[in-house]
Amino acid sequence: MSQQTHQPLIEVHDLERTFDVRRRVEGRRRRVREQVRAVHDLTFAVQRGEMVGYIGPNGAGKSTTIKMLTGILVPTGGELRVAGLDPSRDRVELARRIGVVFGQRSTLWWDLPLIDSFELLQKMYRIPPSRYRENLDRFVEILDLGAQLDTPVRQLSLGQRMRGDITAALLHDPEVLYLDEPTIGLDVISKGRLREFLRSLNTERGTTLVLTTHDLQDIEALCERVIVIDHGTSVYDGTLAGLHAQGGSTRTLVVDLVDEAPPIDVPGADVRRVEGPRQWLSFPTDASAAPIVAAVASAYDVADLSIQEPDIEDVIRDLYSREA
Amino acid sequence: MADSAARHLRTYGQIAWLWIRAAWQYPTSFVMLAVGNGLITGLDFVGLWIMFTHLQDLGGFTLREVALLYGSSSLALGLADTVIGSVERIGTYVRTGRLDQMMTKPVPLLVQVCADQFTLRRLGRLTQASVVFGWACTGVDWTPLRVLVAVSMLVSGAMIFFGLFVGFACLQFWTQDTDQLANAFTYGGATITQYPLRIFPREIMVGLTFVVPVAFANWYPCLYLLGRDDPFGTPDAFQLASPLAAVLTVAAALLVWRSGVRHYTSTGS
Ligand SMILES: Nc1ncnc2c1ncn2[C@@H]1O[C@H](COP(=O)(O)OP(=O)(O)O)[C@@H](O)[C@H]1O
Ligand SMILES: [Mg+2]
């Protein structure tokens, strides 16, 4: 048992998945077959209780990875273990222990009232009735679905449907929850509420979360750790803070001078922009701001100072462009 | 093994029941569907009956003997069609991503697909087929063994049609536009078996015995029930071989299904 706690919940080693696709090519009558490498040379491990952000641009291979982790797709190469099981071979057994939410595709039954979908899931997962009631009551309350239970799913708003889907994925107390683009299309308030809920799920129940998204605010709000994937393989795996450093990104010191002046000249920082008395200086993220601030303040008449943290979108864009 | 089979069967029943309950929210449309289905399939047999007002027999078979063939095949097809539910629409499930969703549930995929959107619209066909079959049974000279053969014929027939539906539906794992082709084989085979095979060329009989083995769903066991010699001179053993044919068909279908699932490529978003 103690061994089990040390073993990662998810282990991925040199994972690969290719697809044969037929493509129409200009000037040829028949479509040509070609291979798309959706995922390749992918290696990582996730411990129990982690919240991992799995990010990358469209077509990077995020969904393909999730489909292999859940056993939907059989890998074409490499190794893969989730909770000690081989997902595609032991798919039905594994299903009991995981929850999956695909943002764009509902798991709920379109024509049935929401509550019927939940009841169907209770039967499928054979959730003990008392546990089912307990979970249902709790999620319905937190996610505020009480008024929608008797509404057919097709009449729900996107946000309501997503909350329904999340409830559906959690009724059986999964050890890990995969969320593929869960906030896509949601309004700001729904997004905020959802993030808060996911955070509490992780702290209170220890549910492991793997979240794919291209909304970086999801990541900043939830994940300590990020895996960045591009063209099918991981280009960064580590803390969110480390990502900033890795990206070679810079922080910005915004200086409001009392009077207009030529570009400020201090060691360790470069002026990026001048607009009247306001100047923008950039310096490396891992350098300390204090000596730069001191140097500026001693040489110039400063009205105000502020420091801007790097935008993670820029960091990642930077990472991609260096990869390419 | 038997334990998990029983559990899956129970899950199937529970899911199916939920769908029936949901359909009852609109009882009139439910009844209309079932009655409509009964009327449409009823017309088949009326057609046969009208034909017999001009004919003494069809390939040496009387109306009541043809009714036995018709009733048993239609009953088996109706049973299979009810049980398989949405299997024939598997291509749609692939396209919409529904299949991905089902694959993340702890119930075998085939059980889920069969139970999904379960409907009793075939109740009409089943009722009509039962009436025809019941009437035809009054012409059989019953012995204990014949009762046994009759029961095994219905079960085996349903299994054979089930296997064919599932097996051909699997083509849609590879190409999603084959649902009509699949239906052509299964329903086509079923339609032919509503007549005595005797009236068709020998090649048809061979095809329906060894390729799409629907002849075992009614033709061979009915020959036994009617105490007739096989007009094609096929060995008598075939008349008792329906259960074997059924088990083989279902086993083959399940193998194709498994292979289809393992080759499933989902859809790109
Ligand atoms: N079922 C499939 N058949 C063919 N190509 C696919 C399939 N699924 C994904 N792909 C291709 O694999 C690549 C990765 O896709 P995907 O994993 O959906 O990316 P993401 O989720 O990161 O946007 C893309 O080029 C996509 O076109
Ligand atoms: Mg995706």
Side-chain angles (χ1 to χ4, degrees):
Chain A
M1 265 287 123
S2 68
Q3 204 184 358
Q4 209 180 14
T5 47
H6 292 297
Q7 205 179 11
L9 183 62
I10 301 173
E11 279 182 283
V12 171
H13 192 75
D14 280 344
L15 192 64
E16 182 203 74
R17 174 70 214 204
T18 57
F19 292 106
D20 285 324
V21 292
R22 283 166 203 278
R23 214 162 51 100
R24 212 171 263 293
V25 170
E26 197 93 25
R28 290 240 216 135
R29 231 168 45 132
R30 299 215 341 182
R31 292 190 293 176
V32 293
R33 282 174 77 105
E34 62 177 35
Q35 255 198 357
V36 173
R37 281 209 303 176
V39 167
H40 64 95
D41 300 303
L42 183 66
T43 301
F44 64 84
V46 175
Q47 304 293 335
R48 271 171 209 281
E50 275 196 282
M51 286 209 265
V52 179
Y54 193 58
I55 59 181
N58 263 334
K62 302 182 296 293
S63 298
T64 304
T65 310
I66 299 290
K67 285 176 190 171
M68 286 191 279
L69 289 174
T70 51
I72 294 171
L73 285 175
V74 183
T76 50
E79 281 147 49
L80 177 59
R81 296 250 132 202
V82 177
L85 300 172
D86 173 348
S88 62
R89 206 160 278 287
D90 311 321
R91 178 170 49 80
V92 176
E93 193 188 339
L94 181 66
R96 200 172 288 291
R97 305 170 60 173
I98 65 173
V100 192
V101 176
F102 291 107
Q104 286 115 313
R105 293 178 173 149
S106 182
T107 197
L108 304 166
W109 283 264
W110 218 236
D111 300 318
L112 298 183
L114 192 52
I115 187 74
D116 282 10
S117 283
F118 295 152
E119 263 179 56
L120 260 168
L121 290 166
Q122 187 215 342
K123 303 282 192 280
M124 286 190 179
Y125 287 94
R126 291 185 289 123
I127 308 167
S130 59
R131 185 65 186 158
Y132 168 73
R133 275 250 66 92
E134 211 175 297
N135 277 342
L136 184 66
D137 290 347
R138 173 146 183 274
F139 296 136
V140 163
E141 196 202 313
I142 304 180
L143 293 171
D144 191 22
L145 280 170
Q148 276 76 46
L149 283 178
D150 293 319
T151 312
V153 171
R154 85 181 102 75
Q155 291 170 17
L156 298 181
S157 74
L158 195 60
Q160 292 166 340
R161 207 214 68 199
M162 178 53 64
R163 283 178 274 147
D165 263 303
I166 297 218
T167 303
L170 291 172
L171 286 170
H172 60 288
D173 294 310
E175 294 163 43
V176 50
L177 178 64
Y178 301 102
L179 300 139
D180 193 3
E181 309 272 5
T183 56
I184 207 161
L186 293 191
D187 60 84
V188 183
I189 298 172
S190 306
K191 278 185 187 179
R193 201 139 90 197
L194 188 57
R195 288 176 192 144
E196 200 177 309
F197 171 73
L198 292 175
R199 206 169 17 233
S200 73
L201 186 75
N202 176 261
T203 45
E204 285 166 29
R205 303 198 170 194
T207 308
T208 309
L209 286 183
V210 176
L211 176 83
T212 88
T213 184
H214 56 249
D215 183 339
L216 295 165
Q217 282 167 353
D218 289 344
I219 304 290
E220 296 202 297
L222 290 172
C223 305
E224 279 277 291
R225 176 179 170 200
V226 287
I227 297 173
V228 181
I229 178 172
D230 191 27
H231 293 110
T233 198
S234 110
V235 293
Y236 176 81
D237 181 353
T239 61
L240 197 55
L243 181 59
H244 291 295
Q246 168 101 10
S249 67
T250 52
R251 290 195 280 174
T252 306
L253 179 67
V254 185
V255 184
D256 282 319
L257 299 172
V258 177
D259 300 305
E260 281 188 35
I264 294 171
D265 182 24
V266 292
D270 302 314
V271 174
R272 281 287 140 89
R273 212 167 119 201
V274 180
E275 227 172 65
R278 177 173 286 188
Q279 301 200 8
W280 283 262
L281 283 73
S282 69
F283 60 99
T285 312
D286 46 0
S288 166
I292 298 168
V293 171
V296 172
S298 67
Y300 300 85
D301 278 340
V302 176
D304 196 12
L305 274 171
S306 66
I307 293 175
Q308 284 177 355
E309 291 301 321
D311 190 357
I312 188 167
E313 305 220 18
D314 293 335
V315 175
I316 288 173
R317 204 172 299 123
D318 207 43
L319 210 59
Y320 293 147
S321 61
R322 284 195 303 150
E323 272 299 303
Chain B
M1 187 61 197
D3 187 39
S4 66
R7 206 173 59 220
H8 299 328
L9 219 59
R10 218 181 80 200
T11 312
Y12 177 92
Q14 289 172 325
I15 301 173
W17 175 243
L18 246 150
W19 283 105
I20 294 173
R21 211 181 65 186
W24 262 119
Q25 307 261 306
Y26 309 96
T28 30
S29 96
F30 172 79
V31 170
M32 297 283 277
L33 265 177
V35 170
N37 177 253
L39 286 178
I40 288 170
T41 47
L43 286 179
D44 297 347
F45 191 69
V46 172
L48 268 177
W49 186 48
I50 290 172
M51 200 153 71
F52 267 89
T53 59
H54 300 285
L55 293 172
Q56 270 310 303
D57 63 300
L58 190 59
F61 287 73
T62 65
L63 176 62
R64 193 149 59 174
E65 288 172 322
V66 173
L68 191 68
L69 287 165
Y70 172 92
S72 50
S73 152
S74 191
L75 209 51
L77 182 72
L79 280 173
D81 209 354
T82 301
V83 169
I84 57 130
S86 311
V87 162
E88 61 198 28
R89 285 204 305 272
I90 193 118
T92 315
Y93 284 57
V94 172
R95 268 194 302 275
T96 58
R98 191 84 206 152
L99 208 68
D100 287 4
Q101 297 286 0
M102 291 180 160
M103 288 177 87
T104 65
K105 305 287 184 304
V107 175
L109 197 54
L110 186 56
V111 175
Q112 288 187 67
V113 176
C114 287
D116 196 49
Q117 317 251 319
F118 184 88
T119 151
L120 287 177
R121 63 173 193 258
R122 306 285 184 228
L123 214 56
R125 176 197 276 276
L126 287 172
T127 312
Q128 181 260 358
S130 307
V131 171
V132 174
F133 185 70
W135 173 65
C137 279
T138 59
V140 173
D141 186 10
W142 292 104
T143 65
L145 194 57
R146 280 187 175 150
V147 173
L148 195 67
V149 169
V151 172
S152 100
M153 166 176 76
L154 294 181
V155 175
S156 308
M159 284 169 70
I160 288 169
F161 283 121
F162 172 87
L164 291 174
F165 276 125
V166 171
F168 283 112
C170 288
L171 290 176
Q172 297 175 52
F173 280 119
W174 286 276
T175 53
Q176 283 143 46
D177 314 313
T178 49
D179 53 332
Q180 291 313 313
L181 177 75
N183 281 344
F185 272 99
T186 315
Y187 286 109
T191 305
I192 293 179
T193 57
Q194 294 176 351
Y195 302 91
L197 276 191
R198 173 78 180 79
I199 65 172
F200 298 106
R202 189 179 182 84
E203 288 73 24
I204 298 268
M205 179 279 289
V206 173
L208 296 189
T209 301
F210 297 106
V211 186
V212 185
V214 289
F216 290 100
N218 69 340
W219 171 247
Y220 291 116
C222 280
L223 289 178
Y224 185 83
L225 296 183
L226 298 171
R228 279 171 167 269
D229 289 331
D230 191 311
F232 295 106
T234 322
D236 285 349
F238 277 52
Q239 298 181 5
L240 298 174
S242 294
L244 181 67
V247 168
L248 288 178
T249 310
V250 170
L254 292 182
L255 281 177
V256 177
W257 175 265
R258 276 177 72 109
S259 156
V261 171
R262 279 198 83 75
H263 286 99
Y264 173 60
T265 56
S266 182
T267 45
S269 41

